[in-house]
Amino acid sequence: MAVYTDVGEGELEAFLRNYPVGELLSYKGIAEGTENTNFLLHTTTGSYILTLYEKRVEKSDLPFFLGLMQHLAHKGLSCPLPVDGKDGNVIGTLAGRPAVIITFLEGMWLRRPQVVHCREVGRALAELHIAGQDFAMTRPNSLAIDGWRKLWDAAHPRADEVEPGLAREVDADFAEFEKSWPKGLPSGVIHADLFPDNVFFLGDKLSGLIDFYFACNDAYAYDLATCLNAWCFEKDFSFNLTKGTALLDGYQSVRPLSEDEKAALPILARGSALRFMLTRLYDWLTVPDGGLVMKRDPSEYIRRMRFHRTIKSAQEYGLK
Amino acid sequence: MAVYTDVGEGELEAFLRNYPVGELLSYKGIAEGTENTNFLLHTTTGSYILTLYEKRVEKSDLPFFLGLMQHLAHKGLSCPLPVDGKDGNVIGTLAGRPAVIITFLEGMWLRRPQVVHCREVGRALAELHIAGQDFAMTRPNSLAIDGWRKLWDAAHPRADEVEPGLAREVDADFAEFEKSWPKGLPSGVIHADLFPDNVFFLGDKLSGLIDFYFACNDAYAYDLATCLNAWCFEKDFSFNLTKGTALLDGYQSVRPLSEDEKAALPILARGSALRFMLTRLYDWLTVPDGGLVMKRDPSEYIRRMRFHRTIKSAQEYGLK
């Protein structure tokens, strides 16, 4: 939620000469994205996002993220399109950082999504999974079990500061996941972070998906389980079955789940809740107060983990 | 440089129904303005700024600021135009705060203004002074000598932490200003904060003036003196005589200075440097580190104060 790097108009104009976007009219630093610096540009040809990649993003991952966005956009998915430079490179350098120009998507992200939006998101997620099937590059999920373990090893000694008993509770989850985490599920490119702030709507119609900087190869059903966590819980932490039903219906209207995927959904949802709890917990314990990184309370994901432990089958999420 | 208040799309759309701006397409929190929360809106009729006034702005001053912007825009000055609501009120309420919709001005503010830009700013400042002459409302300058005195009383005990001897140095300035601060100079509406980040350019052409939230009634030449401080010093604190000449020439090409104003320029420039030193010093000493308000080093204005003390006549700034 911050502009980490300022850019002067002279260096920006020089940078833009390499891109077929017309003349610069204005640019404003915007408060979006927790990892990068983003500017909204107006030019004589329209609106664009300029992203400068700060040190939290691995430069070697950028070709995967940007190539994926181009692949998906060319397949007709509504997502931002990184603009190729006239020199043939999509990634340039600005203010000493890797930088790209991406088409601007109109639309608003919903602070309070409703049932109709959950259905749309389910459908869009399935379309993303299908559109990504012939994308040639791969990227392992750095936030799969091995990655969780690293975060947990760092956070473990102080976990009980957040909630007494948390260390023992999460240790038990790890023991179970290491024994029975599902393997061999249908896999491919997943978004891995499809939260409401990454989905734009115009009215009730989904207008675009953004922020592919956690995208990777993993089980499709895991991505869907993350959406259950991100879209179907209310502010009081209760699971909204109507929203769950809509999300799963929307998904299956495009890509029906296999029996294995259906059976795996509860444990995947539990693992996904653990994953978001862990990144929040890690930041909560290690990032200084008042810094630029926004710290989010891990406890809402502790609640989700506990909810998912009570689930016996995916029907309880609304699966038909 | 922050979004203090988030706004949901539902409440924003409800708010916008009172303004003739079309349908909302997107809105992004932007990192501009140190006092308020600003969003850049795209609608079916164009781009707008939504400003939410946070507690640092006196609500009773808003009719002056907004009325002035409307007055100046109607006189042909390029500045943002607050949009009247269909209910006849320019100020509405959003997220519990006074809020307005203002037309968006294209253009970039210059991190490194050149001589040609100083001339443009001088001309625009004089045009603003003339356009404001028949504006009916008035607002005293809360950051004139009495206001400086309040800031100084608060900062005085710790001033020497910033630079040893600073307390005694500024005390001597106050003694002199209280004896010989010029009175009776031509006065009217002044911008009072016309720094480079408040002036937009497209190429070398000035495209607009923004941020009228310090505007008030005071001596015109004081406003010009502030521009000398804001535009004509280099990063090494040296005064650039070529820029000073261009700024003053530009101003006088529209509104020639009287002999009294010319004679007063050195002491006005000294007072203006003190004013910006004091607000920075006050924030420096009182605002906690890591907060949302950006703290700026007061020492560059201490250097300007010392420079102006050596000036014998406005010719040394480049006045012809």
Side-chain angles (χ1 to χ4, degrees):
Chain A
M1 293 282 280
V3 173
Y4 301 92
T5 306
D6 192 28
V7 172
E9 85 294 341
E11 56 182 338
L12 177 53
E13 281 167 343
F15 174 81
L16 288 179
R17 266 176 227 125
N18 186 42
Y19 295 89
V21 296
E23 297 295 313
L24 183 63
L25 296 176
S26 62
Y27 65 106
K28 307 283 178 195
I30 60 175
E32 302 221 344
T34 50
E35 311 276 325
N36 305 315
T37 295
N38 290 296
F39 292 88
L40 169 48
L41 274 52
H42 289 176
T43 78
T44 46
T45 64
S47 298
Y48 300 87
I49 295 286
L50 163 70
T51 299
L52 278 73
Y53 297 102
E54 305 291 345
K55 58 179 182 293
R56 271 195 161 205
V57 173
E58 279 286 343
K59 287 183 196 181
S60 59
D61 283 334
L62 290 178
F64 176 86
F65 300 140
L66 297 164
L68 176 61
M69 289 156 77
Q70 291 185 324
H71 177 89
L72 296 174
H74 291 142
K75 288 265 173 177
L77 208 82
S78 182
C79 69
L81 176 65
V83 178
D84 279 322
K86 295 172 188 168
D87 63 2
N89 295 316
V90 68
I91 304 170
T93 300
L94 184 57
R97 288 158 178 75
V100 297
I101 297 293
I102 301 178
T103 57
F104 181 81
L105 285 189
E106 301 290 355
M108 275 75 71
W109 70 265
L110 303 178
R111 275 71 172 169
R112 296 167 184 264
Q114 303 301 315
V115 172
V116 57
H117 309 117
C118 293
R119 184 180 307 274
E120 289 279 296
V121 166
R123 190 165 14 224
L125 184 71
E127 286 165 355
L128 186 160
H129 290 165
I130 289 171
Q133 280 171 352
D134 56 350
F135 180 56
M137 302 172 79
T138 60
R139 176 177 180 265
N141 187 356
S142 57
L143 287 171
I145 291 191
D146 288 350
W148 307 347
R149 173 58 77 189
K150 277 183 216 151
L151 291 169
W152 181 234
D153 287 346
H156 190 282
R158 294 182 52 204
D160 282 9
E161 291 175 26
V162 172
E163 223 176 287
L166 183 61
R168 204 174 49 190
E169 184 179 332
V170 173
D171 279 341
D173 274 338
F174 268 107
E176 193 177 333
F177 290 164
E178 281 164 14
K179 198 176 58 189
S180 52
W181 187 255
K183 294 190 176 68
L185 294 175
S187 293
V189 173
I190 69 169
H191 184 284
D193 194 39
L194 201 60
F195 276 70
D197 56 338
N198 289 331
V199 181
F200 290 167
F201 285 86
L202 285 170
D204 287 339
K205 209 176 137 43
L206 192 151
S207 64
L209 308 178
I210 66 162
D211 199 347
F212 289 78
Y213 300 112
F214 288 96
C216 56
N217 290 70
D218 206 336
Y220 294 133
Y222 175 72
D223 218 9
L224 183 57
T226 293
C227 286
L228 284 173
N229 282 316
W231 290 82
C232 303
F233 285 81
E234 300 302 321
K235 303 265 178 250
D236 67 356
F237 310 115
S238 65
F239 181 76
N240 184 321
L241 184 64
T242 316
K243 290 183 177 176
T245 304
L247 179 79
L248 296 167
D249 272 2
Y251 188 88
Q252 292 210 94
S253 73
V254 176
R255 179 182 173 274
L257 295 168
S258 71
E259 290 310 311
D260 281 356
E261 289 178 298
K262 290 178 183 176
L265 213 48
I267 195 168
L268 294 174
R270 215 170 123 187
S272 163
L274 176 64
R275 172 254 179 273
F276 288 99
M277 193 284 285
L278 285 171
T279 45
R280 288 182 177 205
L281 177 67
Y282 182 83
D283 284 351
W284 193 259
L285 294 173
T286 59
V287 174
D289 282 321
L292 287 169
V293 174
M294 191 172 61
K295 294 168 69 164
R296 283 178 294 198
D297 189 349
S299 62
E300 52 178 297
Y301 279 84
I302 300 172
R303 305 290 202 99
R304 282 168 171 72
M305 289 160 51
R306 289 177 187 156
F307 171 80
H308 293 305
R309 282 192 212 113
T310 71
I311 295 293
K312 301 276 174 291
S313 87
Q315 278 66 37
E316 293 175 61
Y317 297 127
L319 188 81
K320 283 176 189 160
Chain B
M1 292 282 281
V3 173
Y4 301 91
T5 305
D6 192 28
V7 172
E9 85 296 340
E11 56 181 339
L12 177 53
E13 280 167 343
F15 174 81
L16 288 179
R17 269 177 223 124
N18 186 41
Y19 295 89
V21 295
E23 297 296 312
L24 184 63
L25 295 177
S26 62
Y27 66 106
K28 305 283 178 197
I30 59 174
E32 302 223 341
T34 50
E35 312 276 325
N36 305 314
T37 295
N38 290 296
F39 292 88
L40 170 48
L41 275 53
H42 288 176
T43 78
T44 47
T45 63
S47 299
Y48 300 87
I49 295 287
L50 163 70
T51 298
L52 279 73
Y53 297 102
E54 305 290 345
K55 58 178 184 290
R56 272 194 162 207
V57 172
E58 278 286 342
K59 288 183 195 180
S60 59
D61 282 335
L62 291 178
F64 176 87
F65 299 141
L66 298 164
L68 176 62
M69 288 155 79
Q70 292 185 323
H71 177 90
L72 296 175
H74 291 141
K75 288 265 174 177
L77 208 82
S78 182
C79 69
L81 176 64
V83 178
D84 279 321
K86 295 173 188 168
D87 64 1
N89 295 316
V90 68
I91 305 171
T93 300
L94 183 57
R97 288 159 178 74
V100 297
I101 297 293
I102 302 178
T103 56
F104 181 80
L105 285 190
E106 300 291 354
M108 275 76 71
W109 71 265
L110 303 178
R111 275 69 172 170
R112 296 166 184 264
Q114 304 301 315
V115 172
V116 57
H117 309 117
C118 293
R119 184 180 307 274
E120 288 280 295
V121 166
R123 190 168 10 224
L125 184 72
E127 285 165 355
L128 186 161
H129 289 165
I130 288 171
Q133 279 171 354
D134 57 349
F135 180 56
M137 303 172 78
T138 60
R139 175 177 179 265
N141 187 354
S142 57
L143 287 170
I145 290 192
D146 288 350
W148 307 347
R149 172 59 76 187
K150 276 182 217 153
L151 292 170
W152 182 234
D153 287 347
H156 190 281
R158 294 182 53 203
D160 283 9
E161 291 175 25
V162 172
E163 225 176 286
L166 183 61
R168 203 174 49 192
E169 184 180 332
V170 173
D171 279 339
D173 275 337
F174 267 105
E176 192 177 333
F177 290 163
E178 280 164 14
K179 199 176 59 190
S180 52
W181 187 255
K183 293 190 177 65
L185 295 174
S187 292
V189 173
I190 68 169
H191 184 285
D193 194 39
L194 201 61
F195 277 69
D197 56 339
N198 289 331
V199 181
F200 290 167
F201 285 85
L202 285 170
D204 288 338
K205 208 173 135 44
L206 192 151
S207 65
L209 308 178
I210 67 162
D211 199 348
F212 288 78
Y213 301 112
F214 287 95
C216 56
N217 290 70
D218 206 335
Y220 294 132
Y222 174 73
D223 219 9
L224 183 57
T226 293
C227 286
L228 285 173
N229 282 316
W231 291 82
C232 303
F233 285 82
E234 300 301 323
K235 301 264 179 254
D236 66 356
F237 310 115
S238 66
F239 182 76
N240 183 322
L241 184 64
T242 316
K243 290 183 178 175
T245 304
L247 179 79
L248 296 168
D249 271 4
Y251 188 88
Q252 292 211 93
S253 72
V254 176
R255 181 182 170 272
L257 295 167
S258 70
E259 290 309 312
D260 281 357
E261 289 179 297
K262 291 177 181 177
L265 214 48
I267 194 169
L268 295 173
R270 216 171 124 186
S272 162
L274 176 64
R275 170 255 180 272
F276 288 98
M277 192 284 284
L278 285 171
T279 45
R280 289 181 176 205
L281 178 66
Y282 182 83
D283 284 352
W284 194 260
L285 294 174
T286 60
V287 174
D289 282 323
L292 288 169
V293 174
M294 192 173 60
K295 293 167 70 164
R296 284 176 294 199
D297 189 348
S299 63
E300 53 180 294
Y301 279 83
I302 299 172
R303 305 289 201 98
R304 282 168 172 70
M305 289 160 51
R306 289 177 187 157
F307 171 80
H308 294 305
R309 282 192 210 113
T310 70
I311 296 292
K312 301 277 174 293
S313 88
Q315 276 66 38
E316 294 174 61
Y317 296 126
L319 188 81
K320 285 177 188 158

